[in-house]
Amino acid sequence: MESKLKIPREMLMNIDFINTVNGGMSEPSIKLDKGSDGFEVVVKIPGIEVEDLQLEVVKGKRNSNNLKLFHLLPIFSQENLPDEEQWKTIRFINTFVIPDGVDIDNISARYDDGRRQLVLFLPFGDEQGDYHRKVDIERW
């Protein structure tokens, strides 16, 4: 039996279509490569502007080295309020475990406007002790 419903091929190819039709969130695409100088992580996050992204490195007890990528979502529609007065909640995009041997001080992030992707670079090095810092995301 042939279906009478005709769905455009482009729509079927969009993995996140069903999730986002009724206001859902699209899922990020993450690619990890290990090079001779360190790790490169490429993250594509459809529907989220680079200005809304936050990236933090957290190194704590019990070897819990993490790179947290998140953004803030407004809880209610508050168009008339200044940005600092709006109520927001955190949506974690991903928490990456930082492998041993990564130089945490030199982790960098940049956003490629042309490809609409975030590129993280985790260079090799030696780090010890507790650590927490915010990573600035550059645009290029």
Side-chain angles (χ1 to χ4, degrees):
M1 182 164 96
E2 186 176 326
S3 173
K4 293 184 181 189
L5 179 64
K6 300 292 182 191
I7 301 174
R9 185 178 216 60
E10 297 82 23
M11 192 179 295
L12 291 174
M13 295 174 74
N14 187 342
I15 296 170
D16 291 328
F17 177 74
I18 299 300
N19 188 30
T20 58
V21 165
N22 292 316
M25 298 284 179
S26 60
E27 292 299 316
S29 165
I30 300 169
K31 179 182 162 197
L32 172 68
D33 288 320
K34 182 178 180 181
S36 60
D37 296 336
F39 295 96
E40 182 178 81
V41 182
V42 178
V43 184
K44 292 184 180 182
I45 314 161
I48 298 174
E49 297 299 322
V50 66
E51 293 83 12
D52 297 331
L53 291 175
Q54 301 284 323
L55 184 64
E56 293 185 357
V57 176
V58 179
K59 182 174 182 181
K61 299 173 183 160
R62 293 181 253 158
N63 295 326
S64 60
N65 308 325
N66 294 307
L67 186 63
K68 297 181 183 233
L69 179 61
F70 61 94
H71 69 102
L72 300 175
L73 285 171
I75 294 176
F76 302 107
S77 176
Q78 304 165 8
E79 296 174 11
N80 298 331
L81 292 176
D83 194 44
E84 62 273 359
E85 292 182 19
Q86 290 187 5
W87 291 7
K88 295 184 179 182
T89 186
I90 292 175
R91 175 180 178 247
F92 279 97
I93 295 166
N94 206 330
T95 299
F96 305 93
V97 175
I98 300 173
D100 290 336
V102 169
D103 182 1
I104 295 175
D105 257 340
N106 291 309
I107 291 175
S108 61
R110 58 178 203 249
Y111 188 79
D112 184 342
D113 280 318
R115 294 184 177 172
R116 299 193 50 84
Q117 64 188 17
L118 180 64
V119 180
L120 313 174
F121 182 67
L122 290 71
F124 294 134
D126 294 319
E127 285 293 324
Q128 303 295 326
D130 293 347
Y131 198 89
H132 184 132
R133 87 173 172 96
K134 183 175 179 176
V135 178
D136 294 324
I137 300 172
E138 300 175 24
R139 288 186 91 153
W140 54 287

